[in-house]
Amino acid sequence: MSGEDAPAQQQNDVDQKQEKPAEEPKAETPKADPAPAAAAEAAAAPPAAADKAPEEETFTYRALVLTGYGGYDKVKLQVKKGKPALKAGEVLVRVKACGLNFADLMARQGLYDRLPSPPVSPGMECSGVVEAVGEEVTDRKVGDKVMVLNRFGLWQEVAVAPASHTFLIPEGMSFEEAAALPVNYITAYMMLFDFGNLRPNQSVLIHAAAGGVGIAATQLCKTVKDVTVFGTASASKHETISEGGVTHAIDYRTKDYVEEVRKISPKGMDIILDPLGGSDTHKAYNLLKPMGKLITYGAANMLAGQKKNLLAVAKNWYHQFSIHTLSLIQGNKSVCGFHLGYLDGETELITQTMNTILDLYKQGKIKPRIDSTWHLEQVGDAMRKMQERNNIGKVILTTEPMPEEEKKEEPKKEDKKEDKKKEDKKKEDKKKDDGKKEEKKDDKKKEEPKKEEKKEEEKKEDAKKEEK
Amino acid sequence: MSGEDAPAQQQNDVDQKQEKPAEEPKAETPKADPAPAAAAEAAAAPPAAADKAPEEETFTYRALVLTGYGGYDKVKLQVKKGKPALKAGEVLVRVKACGLNFADLMARQGLYDRLPSPPVSPGMECSGVVEAVGEEVTDRKVGDKVMVLNRFGLWQEVAVAPASHTFLIPEGMSFEEAAALPVNYITAYMMLFDFGNLRPNQSVLIHAAAGGVGIAATQLCKTVKDVTVFGTASASKHETISEGGVTHAIDYRTKDYVEEVRKISPKGMDIILDPLGGSDTHKAYNLLKPMGKLITYGAANMLAGQKKNLLAVAKNWYHQFSIHTLSLIQGNKSVCGFHLGYLDGETELITQTMNTILDLYKQGKIKPRIDSTWHLEQVGDAMRKMQERNNIGKVILTTEPMPEEEKKEEPKKEDKKEDKKKEDKKKEDKKKDDGKKEEKKDDKKKEEPKKEEKKEEEKKEDAKKEEK
């Protein structure tokens, strides 16, 4: 996967215009800007009209771009030119890490209508440092460490978003954690506590309990007294999810999860989180107790293989759950649909929820679990890992440049998938331990050295793989 | 409408057997029984085997019986013989007042499947005094004032129910209030706080805001900070419902309520309570904000006229709301169905909810509003008043015997419906004032005198009608 130079016009049909060289650049006030060279130089230079053109020409950044619908290779790493102009209320963020979400996988196959047509940069969440602020931005300043939530466009080294879509990263949270938090935790929180109205002594069925939302939901369930969590995942992940708070781990690959749940809880569930869609939504509905709530938030069953699988899509549509009110009334049941991607107008609601989540983080009650971190060049592998359900926790992209030697080794990773899984598990355990240590530190503004350490680890592990 | 003698076998096909002369009667311990003559005499007599037969023969009580599906005249007042036997865990209640519910109207037309086939005594709620307790009953004793919630069978002078379906009437609550409380307040509470998850600053649309559930829901909304209540009702009821807490009263008969709501709240509603069904459920769904909850709990639109109206039923079915999960996901919406009649197995949940409601009553935050009280002989008129939406608050039946002179005047009531409405309004205002006074009293164990006063008022009002 090689970097390509994206023509500037390519992005122009996108809602959120990130490149408008013709537009008058907004005044920026980079006071204590700790950001990279290009911006710093620009700030140092006198703001004469003559200097604008050179700055915009010399400013380049790498960006992942969905070039068309299809397989993993449709997301390409390109180099964009020119500093994005900021509108009033927007900030420019130097991105450190990005989160991968299921919607990104759907989008790549053309199954997610919140992403504009290709070519377009995907990415709904990232973390980074504010590098410039637009007019009317009062609550963010250059140098702020932030996480960003946006409809798309965040898988880039430099991203533009409304300041209201950014949240300050709390002390002690790494950029990876910050990139892992927004989508999964807001989704899990709103489903469980807004629609689900989770209360003590209730039972919750979490599908894909080892996924990003699954782990977030499990942790959030544990903030309520005596909640019983049923979690589905393949057997190899049971130990990890049980440690994370799942009361009853169920291997959906070898067992009928409905039967397993009924064995333990004959009356059924109070809340079911359903990311699967299709026939699994029907099963979930029938598994609800009276006053139970089914919250469906995806159609993962549609994803079969790299490219759009028409049979899977048709099957999902055919089995799509449709409910009559009379059945709801007689069953005393609730069916809810959730997707954060369709809530982008609800800034106040999202901010409120995010503040609650960050409080829980500060109290040590939740902590994002990073499955693995990948370079932008490795986005295909990162997506594959998630789509093939080989992750436990969040899959993260880092904007750190990829060392030359790793690039050469890359293809080998795919050859030994099983070994890789084990390695990932080890790496995770190590990171978890690191995470615990980190929590104890009070002041850790310097993120860079830690990343370097991790990269050293990764190198060592790749070396180990070589030995096998 | 005259009392008829119901053959004892008539009730035998009913689930809850209330008359089983052949069965061995359970031992009863009527210690300080304050109940009527027949029972008191029986208690005074020595418990010899020879006395059983006479007691059962001499024990008679009036009961309303649905004799077939159809118009108001299908509910007949009959006299039943023999003291109902109690199973373990059951209590026998001398009924003072009964609540009318929409489900009773549906049931009369054969549209409610929770009522067994006629002949059967309807009635889901009543209040009264415990007259006997079955074996294993430990938390109720003879003389306890209770309200009762049951699937059916409570429109009788004497009713049998599981002790777990009874709730102690708090100090200061009249029998009418107690009969008005269970169904409406549990329904409103569970819809708003379990499914609806109502929180400060939210907006709620309450259809039929002057009905029993509507008034309960309005009062419950007011227990949460800064909730905006939109209530539909005909214009003549607006003053009353506004005083009761409705922020924006909307006359659904002369205006398009969707337009009216949008004018005030362009984004729509957080919660909508829908007792109507059919096309109104569609409107409600479209009126929801993101993260909004539609709670449908009836199909009042099916009720058109006294007897089952096939066109109305068909129309309701045709327009019945059916929702696909994809629409729910893209809208971030929730659709819930509620009906207390299908929750009769959920004793713990109901008891918990009832305790919360009774706490709110004791704190003075809620108070059932009685629209009118009718004698058992007047059940047809009572049902008509409710079905024609002429009530503001709860329609109650009292088991007090009806004075002869009222029986003669009865047909005249129907002649002057408009005048009657006005009179009802006046009567209500009077009762409301009475209610306020009553709240201030600390000890009011003697309910009887108040009833007598009311009857005096009714007589006076009937006399006024005569003058017109």
Side-chain angles (χ1 to χ4, degrees):
Chain A
M1 200 177 293
S2 65
E4 286 174 356
D5 207 338
Q9 308 92 281
Q10 257 191 355
Q11 297 291 317
N12 282 357
D13 55 344
V14 166
D15 282 22
Q16 181 202 339
K17 305 236 167 44
Q18 291 163 339
E19 296 182 295
K20 286 194 201 163
E23 212 174 62
E24 186 99 33
K26 298 287 184 302
E28 290 163 18
T29 50
K31 283 163 197 164
D33 195 339
E41 277 165 26
D51 292 318
K52 274 181 195 169
E55 185 203 340
E56 295 199 341
E57 270 170 31
T58 55
F59 190 99
T60 63
Y61 58 100
R62 296 179 307 150
L64 289 171
V65 176
L66 180 68
T67 56
Y69 300 130
Y72 302 121
D73 61 348
K74 291 294 180 188
V75 181
K76 296 193 192 302
L77 185 60
Q78 302 184 345
V79 175
K80 292 186 181 175
K81 272 186 193 168
K83 193 168 190 171
L86 292 182
K87 279 184 266 180
E90 288 182 339
V91 296
L92 188 137
V93 174
R94 176 63 57 174
V95 176
K96 299 289 183 181
C98 312
L100 249 75
N101 289 291
F102 236 81
D104 298 317
L105 306 181
M106 305 285 280
R108 200 198 63 237
Q109 296 197 359
L111 294 170
Y112 180 57
D113 64 2
R114 299 300 282 167
L115 188 76
S117 306
V120 59
S121 277
M124 302 163 68
E125 60 189 341
C126 74
S127 60
V129 179
V130 174
E131 191 163 299
V133 297
E135 282 174 9
E136 296 169 28
V137 173
T138 55
D139 53 351
R140 294 289 176 270
K141 60 183 192 303
V142 171
D144 279 348
K145 287 182 188 176
V146 291
M147 52 192 99
V148 188
L149 184 68
N150 216 27
R151 227 178 86 196
F152 62 96
L154 302 184
W155 287 0
Q156 312 191 79
E157 279 183 322
V158 163
V160 172
S164 60
H165 290 199
T166 67
F167 311 92
L168 293 174
I169 298 179
E171 202 73 10
M173 185 187 278
S174 71
F175 282 117
E176 279 91 347
E177 280 183 340
L181 192 126
V183 172
N184 290 168
Y185 282 82
I186 293 176
T187 297
Y189 189 92
M190 293 185 86
M191 290 198 298
L192 287 174
F193 295 106
D194 191 332
F195 280 148
N197 195 10
L198 177 62
R199 283 155 302 169
N201 299 308
Q202 291 194 319
S203 53
V204 183
L205 171 60
I206 299 174
H207 281 294
V213 173
I215 284 179
T218 304
Q219 291 179 0
L220 288 169
C221 280
K222 289 297 159 191
T223 65
V224 178
K225 205 168 164 271
D226 298 330
V227 168
T228 307
V229 178
F230 292 72
T232 69
S234 51
S236 64
K237 301 175 181 176
H238 283 197
E239 198 184 327
T240 314
I241 63 171
S242 298
E243 282 167 15
V246 170
T247 324
H248 304 287
I250 298 170
D251 182 4
Y252 69 100
R253 296 196 198 219
T254 60
K255 285 181 179 167
D256 177 341
Y257 68 82
V258 172
E259 263 179 40
E260 295 302 303
V261 169
R262 288 268 184 220
K263 270 186 211 164
I264 300 163
S265 183
K267 278 187 76 179
M269 295 286 104
D270 290 302
I271 298 173
I272 299 177
L273 306 185
D274 161 43
L276 305 171
S279 59
D280 286 293
T281 313
H282 293 260
K283 289 181 188 175
Y285 185 75
N286 292 326
L287 251 183
L288 287 180
K289 270 186 195 171
M291 299 307 292
K293 289 127 195 144
L294 159 60
I295 303 145
T296 182
Y297 66 105
N301 285 338
M302 269 199 209
L303 276 191
Q306 258 199 74
K307 296 182 187 175
K308 180 151 75 179
N309 179 324
L310 282 179
L311 183 65
V313 172
K315 230 167 117 180
N316 201 79
W317 268 101
Y318 182 76
H319 288 296
Q320 206 203 158
F321 187 66
S322 160
I323 182 72
H324 275 254
T325 47
L326 198 65
S327 161
L328 287 169
I329 290 176
Q330 294 185 341
N332 282 293
K333 292 178 179 181
S334 163
V335 178
C336 321
F338 184 87
H339 202 295
L340 190 55
Y342 297 91
L343 273 184
D344 56 351
E346 302 299 313
T347 312
E348 200 184 320
L349 190 62
I350 300 289
T351 305
Q352 231 172 41
T353 307
M354 196 64 177
N355 289 339
T356 309
I357 290 167
L358 291 176
D359 282 345
L360 289 171
Y361 178 87
K362 289 170 198 163
Q363 293 161 29
K365 292 186 177 167
I366 59 166
K367 187 171 178 64
R369 184 182 212 285
I370 313 298
D371 171 78
S372 49
T373 302
W374 306 76
H375 292 286
L376 294 182
E377 290 86 346
Q378 298 169 307
V379 65
D381 294 327
M383 288 191 290
R384 183 194 307 276
K385 184 156 197 208
M386 193 170 170
Q387 187 165 329
E388 295 181 354
R389 320 281 170 94
N390 290 327
N391 58 312
I392 306 187
K394 193 76 178 180
V395 177
I396 292 288
L397 299 172
T398 171
T399 56
E400 288 287 313
M402 189 175 183
E404 282 307 311
E405 57 274 30
E406 282 190 36
K407 281 183 192 170
K408 283 170 204 157
E409 286 162 15
E410 193 186 2
K412 287 170 194 162
K413 275 192 185 173
E414 289 308 307
D415 298 336
K416 301 174 185 174
K417 216 176 282 171
E418 277 313 300
D419 292 346
K420 193 154 157 279
K421 261 192 233 172
K422 283 176 203 162
E423 287 305 320
D424 285 335
K425 172 91 175 63
K426 271 193 212 167
K427 203 190 291 185
E428 246 330 296
D429 291 344
K430 177 78 178 76
K431 277 188 194 167
K432 213 173 141 193
D433 292 340
D434 286 349
K436 278 179 198 162
K437 280 174 213 157
E438 281 163 32
E439 278 179 333
K440 288 170 194 165
K441 290 182 198 169
D442 283 326
D443 190 7
K444 39 188 291 314
K445 282 177 187 164
K446 292 188 179 179
E447 300 289 337
E448 301 313 312
K450 199 190 61 175
K451 271 191 195 161
E452 290 306 317
E453 278 168 34
K454 277 190 189 156
K455 239 172 284 162
E456 282 307 308
E457 282 167 35
E458 279 168 55
K459 276 183 210 165
K460 279 178 208 160
E461 272 160 12
D462 284 341
K464 274 187 214 163
K465 276 178 214 163
E466 287 294 305
E467 288 163 22
K468 284 178 193 172
Chain B
M1 199 178 291
S2 64
E4 285 174 357
D5 205 341
Q9 309 91 282
Q10 258 192 355
Q11 296 291 316
N12 282 357
D13 56 345
V14 166
D15 285 21
Q16 180 201 339
K17 302 232 169 46
Q18 290 163 341
E19 297 182 294
K20 286 192 202 164
E23 213 175 62
E24 184 102 33
K26 298 286 185 305
E28 290 163 18
T29 51
K31 283 164 202 165
D33 195 338
E41 276 165 25
D51 292 321
K52 274 181 195 167
E55 186 202 337
E56 293 199 342
E57 269 172 32
T58 55
F59 189 100
T60 62
Y61 58 99
R62 295 179 307 150
L64 290 171
V65 177
L66 180 67
T67 55
Y69 300 130
Y72 302 121
D73 61 349
K74 291 295 181 188
V75 181
K76 295 191 193 305
L77 185 61
Q78 303 184 345
V79 176
K80 290 186 183 177
K81 273 186 193 169
K83 194 167 191 172
L86 293 181
K87 280 183 266 180
E90 287 183 340
V91 295
L92 187 138
V93 174
R94 175 66 54 173
V95 176
K96 298 290 184 183
C98 312
L100 250 75
N101 289 291
F102 236 81
D104 299 316
L105 306 180
M106 305 284 280
R108 201 196 63 238
Q109 297 196 358
L111 294 170
Y112 180 56
D113 64 2
R114 298 301 280 167
L115 187 74
S117 306
V120 59
S121 277
M124 303 164 68
E125 62 189 340
C126 74
S127 60
V129 179
V130 174
E131 192 163 298
V133 297
E135 282 173 8
E136 295 170 29
V137 173
T138 54
D139 54 351
R140 293 290 175 269
K141 60 182 191 307
V142 171
D144 278 350
K145 287 184 189 175
V146 292
M147 51 192 100
V148 188
L149 186 68
N150 215 29
R151 228 178 87 196
F152 62 95
L154 301 184
W155 286 0
Q156 313 190 79
E157 279 183 321
V158 163
V160 172
S164 60
H165 289 199
T166 68
F167 311 93
L168 293 174
I169 298 179
E171 202 74 7
M173 185 188 279
S174 71
F175 282 117
E176 279 92 348
E177 281 183 341
L181 192 127
V183 171
N184 290 168
Y185 282 82
I186 293 175
T187 297
Y189 190 92
M190 292 184 86
M191 291 197 298
L192 287 172
F193 295 106
D194 190 331
F195 280 148
N197 195 10
L198 176 63
R199 283 155 301 168
N201 299 311
Q202 290 193 319
S203 54
V204 182
L205 171 59
I206 298 175
H207 281 293
V213 173
I215 285 180
T218 303
Q219 291 178 1
L220 289 168
C221 281
K222 289 297 159 189
T223 65
V224 178
K225 205 166 165 273
D226 297 330
V227 168
T228 306
V229 178
F230 292 71
T232 68
S234 51
S236 64
K237 302 175 181 175
H238 283 196
E239 198 184 327
T240 314
I241 63 171
S242 298
E243 281 167 15
V246 169
T247 325
H248 303 287
I250 299 170
D251 182 5
Y252 69 99
R253 297 196 197 218
T254 59
K255 286 181 178 167
D256 177 341
Y257 68 83
V258 172
E259 263 179 39
E260 295 301 304
V261 170
R262 288 267 183 223
K263 269 186 210 165
I264 300 163
S265 183
K267 278 187 77 179
M269 295 287 104
D270 290 302
I271 297 175
I272 299 178
L273 305 185
D274 161 41
L276 305 173
S279 58
D280 287 292
T281 312
H282 293 259
K283 290 182 188 173
Y285 185 75
N286 293 327
L287 251 184
L288 288 179
K289 269 185 195 171
M291 298 309 290
K293 289 126 195 146
L294 160 59
I295 303 146
T296 180
Y297 66 105
N301 284 340
M302 268 199 211
L303 276 191
Q306 257 200 72
K307 297 182 189 177
K308 181 151 73 179
N309 180 324
L310 283 176
L311 183 65
V313 172
K315 232 168 115 182
N316 201 77
W317 268 101
Y318 181 77
H319 287 296
Q320 205 202 161
F321 188 67
S322 162
I323 181 73
H324 275 253
T325 47
L326 198 66
S327 161
L328 287 169
I329 290 175
Q330 294 184 341
N332 283 291
K333 291 179 181 181
S334 164
V335 179
C336 321
F338 184 86
H339 202 295
L340 190 54
Y342 298 91
L343 273 184
D344 55 351
E346 302 299 313
T347 311
E348 200 184 319
L349 190 61
I350 300 289
T351 305
Q352 230 173 42
T353 308
M354 196 63 178
N355 289 339
T356 310
I357 290 167
L358 291 176
D359 282 345
L360 290 171
Y361 178 86
K362 289 171 200 164
Q363 292 162 29
K365 290 186 178 167
I366 59 167
K367 187 170 177 64
R369 185 183 211 283
I370 313 298
D371 170 77
S372 49
T373 303
W374 307 75
H375 293 286
L376 294 183
E377 291 86 345
Q378 298 170 308
V379 63
D381 295 326
M383 289 191 291
R384 184 194 306 277
K385 183 155 198 208
M386 195 170 170
Q387 187 164 327
E388 293 182 354
R389 322 279 171 94
N390 290 326
N391 58 312
I392 306 185
K394 192 74 175 182
V395 177
I396 292 289
L397 298 172
T398 171
T399 56
E400 287 287 313
M402 188 176 181
E404 283 305 311
E405 58 273 29
E406 283 191 35
K407 281 182 192 169
K408 284 173 203 155
E409 285 162 16
E410 192 186 0
K412 288 172 193 162
K413 277 190 183 173
E414 290 307 307
D415 298 335
K416 299 175 183 175
K417 216 174 284 171
E418 276 313 301
D419 292 346
K420 194 153 156 277
K421 262 191 231 170
K422 282 176 203 160
E423 287 306 321
D424 286 335
K425 174 90 174 62
K426 269 192 211 166
K427 203 191 290 187
E428 248 329 299
D429 291 343
K430 176 80 178 74
K431 277 188 195 168
K432 211 173 142 196
D433 292 339
D434 287 348
K436 278 179 197 164
K437 280 174 213 157
E438 280 161 33
E439 278 178 333
K440 288 169 193 165
K441 290 182 199 168
D442 283 327
D443 188 8
K444 38 187 293 314
K445 283 177 188 165
K446 293 189 181 178
E447 299 289 338
E448 301 314 311
K450 200 190 59 171
K451 270 190 197 164
E452 289 306 317
E453 278 167 35
K454 276 187 191 163
K455 240 172 286 162
E456 282 306 307
E457 281 168 38
E458 279 170 43
K459 274 184 214 166
K460 279 178 210 160
E461 273 160 13
D462 284 340
K464 272 186 216 165
K465 278 177 212 164
E466 286 294 304
E467 288 162 22
K468 282 177 196 171

